[in-house]
Amino acid sequence: MLNGYKQLNIDNTYFITGGAGFIGFHLSMALLEKGCRVISFDNLNSYYDVNLKHSRLELLRSYDNFSFIKGDLANKEDVKEVFTLYHPDIVVNLGAQAGVRYSIENPDVYIQSNVVGFFNILEACRHNEVDHLVYASSSSVYGANKKIPFSTEDKVDNPVSLYAATKKSNELMAYTYSYLYGIPATGLRFFTVYGPYGRPDMAYFSFTKAILEGKPIKVFNSGDMYRDFTYIDDIITGIVNILPNPPQPDENGAPYKVYNIGNNKPEKLMDFIETLEQCLGREAIKEYHPMQAGDVFQTYADVTDLMNDFNFKPNTLINVGLQRFVEWYLDYYGK
């Protein structure tokens, strides 16, 4: 484990971008439950159902230590205002335009949100001393890497989508700011996160909706794909462990680190669908399609560093996680 491994400091102020998003919501809830002060920032865009984002915020607003600011990461003044008003100790950048396939159709928004927006966060951290910047990267940076499991030691120079390229850019930008200005920065490569209050654009969510409505689901590459599905509670535990523990300087003097957070157990897409069918008690109507541009055959996380530094690895079984999601879905949508 890390030398001097620390527990969460509830006296800190935590600034979470993408705070109305899936991971941002769950992280905010976890921190608020511990008594932390959380400043949430989100532009509430319409990439998916805004009502779901408002439902998440409604739950968070019941906590006295919660504040929400509607703003745009790509607007430098919006970001500066938060730092001026709240002086956050810890910054967690989860705000980004998500989705691999959507990045092919709408590239502009990815550059604005994921590159310009992250630059604005880095500049704010540069001019306002923070204890730790933690930011979301993605397993997509590994591209079509055939070496498995994916290790943070692997080269990630061949992204196969613009979304992946923006996440790789974030890692490079964060390292540079860490090196030049001593900003303690940790990047988190998330692997296919799922669970209650999740993103409707994700396969498990859209599959559930289609199965319940008796509509066909699109199965790409004839189902011959593997994903390291990671339950949201495991993701949040990993983040909460990391927040109070900024990285030690590397050989160049940069206090910088990257972790994979994945289940370390890839599931075949067809097995995943079968498990979802069992949870729903219904069989899916399947339409088989070729691999889509920007998709990859497999994701598989090596979480050795996470285990070594925090004695933790994600471990929620897919049948357990999907059952919890289905129960939430049926309750939320009144099915």
Side-chain angles (χ1 to χ4, degrees), residues 288-313:
Y288 294 97
H289 295 264
M291 184 82 89
Q292 286 223 311
D295 265 356
V296 296
F297 169 66
Q298 180 169 234
T299 64
Y300 183 176
D302 180 338
V303 292
T304 302
D305 284 353
L306 203 63
M307 294 170 64
N308 288 343
D309 289 352
F310 301 101
N311 195 29
F312 166 76
K313 63 175 285 190

Side-chain angles (χ1 to χ4, degrees), residues 72-323:
D72 191 337
L73 280 178
N75 185 328
K76 184 172 285 190
E77 294 307 312
D78 284 358
V79 175
K80 283 174 66 175
E81 184 176 0
V82 174
F83 281 79
T84 301
L85 290 175
Y86 296 100
H87 308 287
D89 303 290
I90 308 287
V91 177
V92 189
N93 188 65
L94 301 172
Q97 178 58 56
V100 169
R101 291 168 190 156
Y102 190 67
S103 70
I104 293 169
E105 302 164 20
N106 295 275
D108 289 8
V109 68
Y110 286 79
I111 299 302
Q112 287 302 309
S113 179
N114 301 11
V115 178
V116 176
F118 190 56
F119 166 72
N120 289 337
I121 288 291
L122 288 169
E123 278 288 286
C125 290
R126 171 189 173 189
H127 295 291
N128 300 269
E129 188 174 342
V130 297
D131 295 335
H132 196 184
L133 166 63
V134 177
Y135 67 93
S137 185
S138 167
S139 62
S140 67
V141 300
Y142 291 107
N145 195 342
K146 292 183 171 55
K147 172 190 163 292
I148 54 171
F150 298 164
S151 167
T152 54
E153 301 298 317
D154 296 341
K155 286 188 175 181
V156 286
D157 297 331
N158 303 103
V160 296
S161 69
L162 181 63
Y163 171 72
T166 64
K167 289 300 184 179
K168 167 67 174 176
S169 298
N170 287 173
E171 293 185 1
L172 294 171
M173 294 162 71
Y175 185 87
T176 302
Y177 271 69
S178 181
Y179 173 76
L180 288 175
Y181 308 113
I183 300 169
T186 301
L188 306 177
R189 293 175 180 171
F190 297 132
F191 282 69
T192 315
V193 189
Y194 74 102
Y197 282 96
R199 280 172 34 205
D201 63 309
M202 297 290 283
Y204 71 93
F205 203 117
S206 60
F207 284 179
T208 298
K209 183 175 187 291
I211 292 169
L212 288 172
E213 294 176 354
K215 296 178 181 177
I217 64 172
K218 291 183 178 181
V219 182
F220 293 102
N221 205 40
S222 300
D224 187 22
M225 297 168 73
Y226 292 79
R227 288 292 180 272
D228 207 343
F229 293 101
T230 313
Y231 189 63
I232 184 62
D233 287 5
D234 290 330
I235 292 287
I236 299 308
T237 299
I239 299 174
V240 169
N241 285 342
I242 288 164
L243 288 178
N245 292 285
Q248 298 300 308
D250 67 7
E251 65 275 10
N252 297 319
Y256 180 85
K257 180 82 174 175
V258 171
Y259 291 98
N260 286 332
I261 305 188
N263 212 44
N264 193 229
K265 185 180 180 297
E267 304 282 346
K268 189 172 183 180
L269 180 57
M270 294 308 295
D271 293 339
F272 178 82
I273 292 171
E274 183 179 341
T275 303
L276 182 58
E277 289 173 327
Q278 290 169 357
C279 291
L280 289 167
R282 301 193 189 186
E283 188 172 345
I285 304 166
K286 304 172 188 72
E287 285 182 356
Y288 294 97
H289 295 264
M291 184 82 89
Q292 286 223 311
D295 265 356
V296 296
F297 169 66
Q298 180 169 234
T299 64
Y300 183 176
D302 180 338
V303 292
T304 302
D305 284 353
L306 203 63
M307 294 170 64
N308 288 343
D309 289 352
F310 301 101
N311 195 29
F312 166 76
K313 63 175 285 190
N315 57 15
T316 303
L317 298 175
I318 196 73
N319 60 312
V320 174
L322 276 179
Q323 184 61 47

Side-chain angles (χ1 to χ4, degrees), residues 48-57 332:
Y48 62 77
D49 183 14
V50 177
N51 291 323
L52 182 57
K53 299 178 183 181
H54 284 295
S55 294
R56 296 169 182 149
L57 287 175
Y332 182 81

